[in-house]
Amino acid sequence: LLLREPMLARAAVKFARGVFCPNDGTGDAARYTAAALEQAVQRGVRAHFGERVRGFDVIGKAISGVKTDKGHYKADAVVVAAGLSSRQLLASLGDSLPIFPVTGYSISYRGERAARPSVGAVSIPHKIAWAAFGEETVRFTGFADIGVPGPAKIAARFRALEAFAHDVYPEIRGDAPAKWVGQRPMTPDNLPFLGASRHANLWLNCGHGAMGWTMACGSARIVSDLVLGREPAIDLEPFRWDRYGLLGRRGRAVASDRIAVT
């Protein structure tokens, strides 16, 4: 373990064993997203920021346009990929998708140091992960609180993160980290809503929980294929928008069968 991560030799937390995943990796999702957007703009994409979607124009079973607080856009196809806000947007169309907030936290220490993490890692008992981003940033992240906690809970989580960070990475003691708290868009079965919706040209790419960036490229490829009329690379049945309704009916049928047998 220490050969893979020499930084742990100075840690106050002593790990008995670990699992090394050579194909795993870490990265800065914000930097990646900014670079991807830059590439998209160079290819002709027009990005509109500071604009809030107010609703959709519907003709029959199709979406004909998107209304915002600054304008109106006609559309041949619409993709809803708005994280937690996807639920509110789709509710305006009469759909109810179970996407719920689960709060997570991170602290980031910036500055050059002699020693830094060489691999991304996670401590399962502590529910905390850490990784180095570039040469100057080390981030610790963790926890999962259902809903949106109050200030006392948030403060306690950050204290726990900082205490663990000091124990694992003593080099950052005395440094003040940048703090972040946000809500993961979770579904009850931990699978996203991906693919078709109730409307003919409205596509879903939401509810990815804590795995949004991990699933981003694959999900985008699937939605792109669907918009262009191509066969997606995977079976999308587990990611259907109406799967909870189907499971509910199935559950009642099973219960009825059991009563009959009894």
Side-chain angles (χ1 to χ4, degrees):
L1 186 60
L2 293 178
L3 287 175
R4 291 291 182 187
E5 183 50 273
M7 182 193 80
L8 293 178
R10 298 184 57 193
V13 180
K14 302 302 180 184
F15 298 97
R17 61 184 63 84
V19 176
F20 177 63
C21 304
N23 294 327
D24 201 3
T26 58
D28 189 327
R31 289 178 60 195
Y32 178 93
T33 303
L37 176 62
E38 182 179 352
Q39 288 290 318
V41 170
Q42 290 178 9
R43 294 168 181 262
V45 168
R46 285 184 295 170
H48 298 262
F49 294 101
E51 205 163 337
R52 183 179 294 274
V53 176
R54 295 300 190 190
F56 305 93
D57 295 325
V58 182
I59 299 178
K61 294 185 177 180
I63 306 296
S64 61
V66 178
K67 296 175 287 188
T68 78
D69 58 355
K70 294 185 179 178
H72 184 274
Y73 302 92
K74 292 184 177 180
D76 297 319
V78 175
V79 178
V80 175
L84 281 172
S85 297
S86 300
R87 181 174 185 173
Q88 181 180 354
L89 287 173
L90 293 166
S92 70
L93 294 170
D95 297 329
S96 180
L97 267 62
I99 302 176
F100 303 103
V102 175
T103 300
Y105 312 80
S106 78
I107 53 176
S108 299
Y109 294 89
R110 295 185 173 91
E112 294 186 7
R113 296 177 176 84
R116 54 193 295 277
S118 57
V119 295
V122 57
S123 172
I124 300 299
H126 296 91
K127 298 180 176 63
I128 295 176
W130 66 93
F133 294 157
E135 298 297 327
E136 295 186 353
T137 302
V138 177
R139 178 171 297 166
F140 291 80
T141 182
F143 308 125
D145 293 324
I146 296 175
V148 181
K153 182 70 169 182
I154 292 173
R157 289 305 199 189
F158 279 130
R159 285 196 298 271
L161 267 181
E162 290 189 68
F164 179 85
H166 293 165
D167 285 345
V168 169
Y169 191 37
E171 283 80 356
I172 50 88
R173 285 184 179 273
D175 293 352
K179 299 177 181 179
W180 177 90
V181 57
Q183 283 72 48
R184 309 172 182 97
M186 303 291 292
T187 63
D189 62 3
N190 206 32
L191 296 177
F193 294 105
L194 192 60
S197 71
R198 187 162 53 89
H199 296 82
N201 62 337
L202 180 69
W203 308 95
L204 304 180
N205 187 7
C206 51
H208 292 74
M211 305 299 287
W213 185 41
T214 304
M215 298 185 186
C217 291
S219 297
R221 175 61 183 269
I222 287 168
V223 173
S224 298
D225 286 341
L226 292 171
V227 171
L228 295 173
R230 298 191 296 240
E231 187 72 18
I234 63 173
D235 178 15
L236 297 180
E237 186 69 20
F239 312 103
R240 288 174 56 100
W241 69 276
D242 58 353
R243 64 183 182 267
Y244 291 95
L246 293 173
L247 285 171
R249 287 194 291 274
R250 188 180 305 147
R252 287 192 292 273
V254 169
S256 176
D257 291 344
R258 288 177 177 170
I259 292 171
V261 171
T262 301

